[in-house]
Amino acid sequence: TGSESSPKQKIYGSGGRVPKLIEILVKDAKSNGIYTAEEKVAERLAKVSKWYVRSLKYIVSTKDLYEKKTFTIFDKFIVSGDELAAQCAENADLIFGAVDDAELVKKLKSSWANLMEDQLVRLQTLQSHRDHFIAWSQNAAELLTSKEKRISMETLEKL
């Protein structure tokens, strides 16, 4: 129906306009040779936004997390989120020191930190559920690969 949003619009929220505007600002900053503190803010916002959108894709489609080929990709993504969150927290004063509106920078830093922390908790919860499932499935495979033709009640109870 016409009233439903596409999955891409649901993830980007505003139909993808805000990330595009951030991308344009960062490109313009690089092309004109003058790199201001505001453009540094936009660059950091672009990194956080890109990571966040990708994290939403993992949350929306959790079935991919249970495929063996995505285990290390997902784990590395969480590590990259931890590193990005640490970068946002550590370098905020140094990077944004020349911004005219210091209060805005504090609010941005707080927002980014909260956003990253909340999303990392969600992703780590998914990671924990996945790891629990992997352990359970390995245990089930070991129990079911016995030489018995029939599965005993005891074996089923162990599962």
Side-chain angles (χ1 to χ4, degrees):
T1 63
S3 64
E4 293 179 17
S5 300
S6 71
K8 188 174 184 178
Q9 286 177 328
K10 287 180 185 174
I11 290 173
Y12 286 103
S14 63
R17 290 184 299 254
V18 173
K20 188 66 176 172
L21 291 172
I22 295 168
E23 181 182 332
I24 290 168
L25 178 62
V26 171
K27 283 183 181 178
D28 286 347
K30 290 180 181 178
S31 67
N32 71 15
I34 300 170
Y35 198 60
T36 65
E38 288 80 4
E39 291 158 344
K40 291 177 185 180
V41 170
E43 191 174 79
R44 179 60 53 89
L45 181 58
K47 286 180 184 179
V48 170
S49 297
K50 183 178 177 182
W51 182 89
Y52 187 76
V53 167
R54 188 170 168 206
S55 73
L56 286 176
K57 290 177 183 179
Y58 280 117
I59 290 173
V60 168
S61 180
T62 58
K63 66 179 179 141
D64 296 338
L65 300 178
Y66 293 92
E67 293 180 20
K68 194 172 190 174
K69 65 183 179 181
T70 63
F71 290 172
T72 55
I73 295 169
F74 181 64
D75 293 344
K76 287 179 182 178
F77 178 72
I78 291 175
V79 169
S80 74
D82 281 331
E83 291 169 355
L84 182 58
Q87 288 173 5
C88 288
E90 288 174 5
N91 300 330
D93 297 330
L94 178 67
I95 290 172
F96 307 133
V99 176
D100 293 333
D101 191 353
E103 188 60 32
L104 173 64
V105 172
K106 286 181 183 178
K107 288 179 181 179
L108 284 172
K109 179 182 173 186
S110 174
S111 297
W112 292 343
N114 292 335
L115 177 85
M116 296 289 295
E117 287 173 20
D118 290 348
Q119 202 66 348
L120 282 167
V121 167
R122 289 181 188 100
L123 294 173
Q124 289 165 345
T125 300
L126 287 174
Q127 185 182 39
S128 174
H129 289 300
R130 185 209 58 202
D131 292 345
H132 178 73
F133 173 77
I134 292 169
W136 176 85
S137 63
Q138 288 172 344
N139 185 34
E142 289 173 12
L143 290 172
L144 296 175
T145 56
S146 67
K147 300 191 186 229
E148 298 176 25
K149 291 185 179 185
R150 292 184 173 185
I151 299 172
S152 68
M153 222 26 194
E154 181 181 310
T155 302
L156 289 175
E157 288 174 356
K158 288 181 183 178
L159 289 176

